[in-house]
Amino acid sequence: MHEAGLVAALAEELLRLKEREGAQRVLRFTVEIGELSGVDPEAFRWAYEILREMYAELKETEMILDLVPARFRCKICGREFPGDYFSLCPGCQSPEKTLLSGEELTLREVEFEVADV
Ligand SMILES: [Zn+2]
C-alpha cells in the first residue's frame, strides 16, 4: 500500500511547515487527490488515521480530502471533457489530448494554531 509512504512524507512536510511558521499545532489541512493520481482516497485516509497516532503534534489535526476529477482538452478541436487516458474527444473522436487536471497529489490550505504572545 503506497498510501502509507505518501502519508508519512506528508506528515514530514506538515511538521516542517509548522516549524517554519513557529506554530503550536497544525489545525487542519487539505490534500487534493486527482482521480488519475493512483492514490486511493479511502486507503489514504486510513493510513493517515494510523500515522497521526504516532505523531503527538498531529493527533488533533483534521485532514480534508479534495477529490479532483480528471479533465482533458482536445488538441484538435479544443473541447474540454472528463475521462481517462483512453478517452477519445467526444467532439471529434481524436485521441490527441492534454491533461488539465486529475494527476495531482497536493498539500494545500494548511491552518496553524499560533500562540498569542
Ligand atoms: Zn476534439
Side-chain angles (χ1 to χ4, degrees):
M1 188 176 84
H2 75 140
E3 281 78 5
L6 294 172
V7 164
L10 179 79
E12 294 297 324
E13 176 71 5
L14 281 170
L15 296 179
R16 199 180 58 75
L17 289 170
K18 178 176 116 15
E19 286 300 312
R20 200 186 68 188
E21 299 291 319
Q24 310 311 113
R25 292 196 301 138
V26 185
L27 293 176
R28 69 180 67 79
F29 62 93
T30 303
V31 181
E32 285 188 346
I33 298 181
E35 195 181 353
L36 302 176
S37 65
V39 176
D40 174 0
E42 286 298 312
F44 196 82
R45 183 170 291 286
W46 187 69
Y48 176 69
E49 293 301 324
I50 291 171
L51 178 124
R52 73 171 173 176
E53 292 303 316
M54 293 156 50
Y55 287 85
E57 293 142 298
L58 295 178
K59 269 209 164 69
E60 310 281 306
T61 304
E62 182 190 359
M63 177 174 74
I64 298 162
L65 293 183
D66 188 6
L67 304 182
V68 182
R71 288 197 66 79
F72 296 88
R73 181 186 293 123
C74 176
K75 284 186 182 174
I76 309 301
C77 73
R79 183 157 166 173
E80 292 186 12
F81 56 96
D84 60 30
Y85 298 116
F86 306 106
S87 300
L88 301 177
C89 171
C92 69
Q93 304 303 316
S94 168
E96 301 283 316
K97 58 194 181 296
T98 308
L99 182 75
L100 299 176
S101 66
E103 281 184 336
E104 48 277 269
L105 180 65
T106 315
L107 175 62
R108 310 187 46 165
E109 296 175 39
V110 185
E111 265 183 67
F112 300 99
E113 179 182 86
V114 182
D116 298 324
V117 179

